[in-house]
Amino acid sequence: ARLEKEALAEIRDYLSRNRLPVNISFSGGKDSLASLILAQKMVPRIDVLFVDTGLEFPQTVQYVRELCSHHKLRLHEIRANSDFFEQVKSFGPPAKDYRWCCKSNKLGPMTSFLARQYPRGCVTIEGRRIYESFNRSTIKAVERNPYVPGQTMLSPIRNWRALEVMLYIYW
């Protein structure tokens, strides 16, 4: 209950000082599900952004659609314009230090979508956590997305451990 109260207070505080439209980035994973649960408590009919890179399992796509339908949430499925496997022929396989696919299959499509849907910018609640990787260990509560102009990211579960996320969902 303490983790939820702190996360909701953080979201409430930022949204009370901001008038931009709010959405949630939802991958279908546990972290984005916990963030979605929190987001719905603050913005009941929140827009859900799902980036389908073309590599998602069909079951994941189905789950995202069914969850949004069941909760009457407006789902925006954002897809890359180009096929991942065609790009592999040109760029080779993606690697830790050469993550070309993130730009072409996630950031590019997201940037285009947000520019059309939210031309004045938006606030996106998301489920990144500091314990996921070294690169994410410095996540702050509020950040401007350096790769997507006009997008401010809220990370209400950034300090949660995986077990806390799982217990929150179960609760």
Side-chain angles (χ1 to χ4, degrees):
R2 178 185 59 79
L3 287 174
E4 180 187 57
K5 283 181 187 171
E6 289 172 2
L8 291 174
E10 219 171 64
I11 295 169
R12 185 181 310 109
D13 179 56
Y14 185 78
L15 295 184
S16 72
R17 296 178 281 121
N18 193 297
R19 294 289 168 237
L20 289 173
V22 182
N23 54 54
I24 175 91
S25 178
F26 185 63
S27 68
K30 71 182 184 333
D31 298 332
S32 64
L33 178 59
S35 294
L36 175 60
I37 294 166
L38 291 167
Q40 276 191 278
K41 291 182 181 205
M42 300 306 303
V43 186
R45 295 279 183 243
I46 194 164
D47 280 3
V48 176
L49 310 182
F50 172 65
V51 181
D52 184 349
T53 63
L55 295 175
E56 269 61 46
F57 290 113
Q59 296 89 339
T60 301
V61 176
Q62 180 181 350
Y63 165 72
V64 169
R65 289 175 179 163
E66 288 175 3
L67 184 130
C68 290
S69 175
H70 178 77
H71 291 278
K72 296 177 176 51
L73 297 171
R74 192 164 135 203
L75 174 63
H76 299 278
E77 290 187 50
I78 304 163
R79 285 199 59 116
N81 293 331
S82 52
D83 179 73
F84 172 83
F85 295 104
E86 286 300 315
Q87 291 178 321
V88 168
K89 293 175 188 172
S90 299
F91 299 114
K96 180 185 174 295
D97 296 323
Y98 184 52
R99 297 182 61 193
W100 58 262
C101 56
C102 190
K103 288 183 181 81
S104 62
N105 291 54
K106 280 189 176 180
L107 298 175
M110 178 65 84
T111 300
S112 299
F113 171 80
L114 294 179
R116 285 190 315 273
Q117 190 73 21
Y118 307 102
R120 293 194 173 115
C122 67
V123 175
T124 300
I125 298 170
E126 49 90 45
R128 293 181 308 149
R129 296 181 304 106
I130 62 173
Y131 300 108
E132 291 180 278
S133 69
F134 180 75
N135 287 344
R136 293 187 175 184
S137 65
T138 59
I139 294 170
K140 295 180 179 41
V142 179
E143 296 179 327
R144 297 288 294 196
N145 189 333
Y147 306 107
V148 181
Q151 186 182 41
T152 299
M153 310 294 288
L154 297 185
S155 302
I157 68 163
R158 72 191 173 287
N159 295 320
W160 294 20
R161 290 177 169 77
L163 179 61
E164 293 167 327
V165 171
M166 295 301 293
L167 289 172
Y168 179 69
I169 292 167
Y170 181 74
W171 175 64

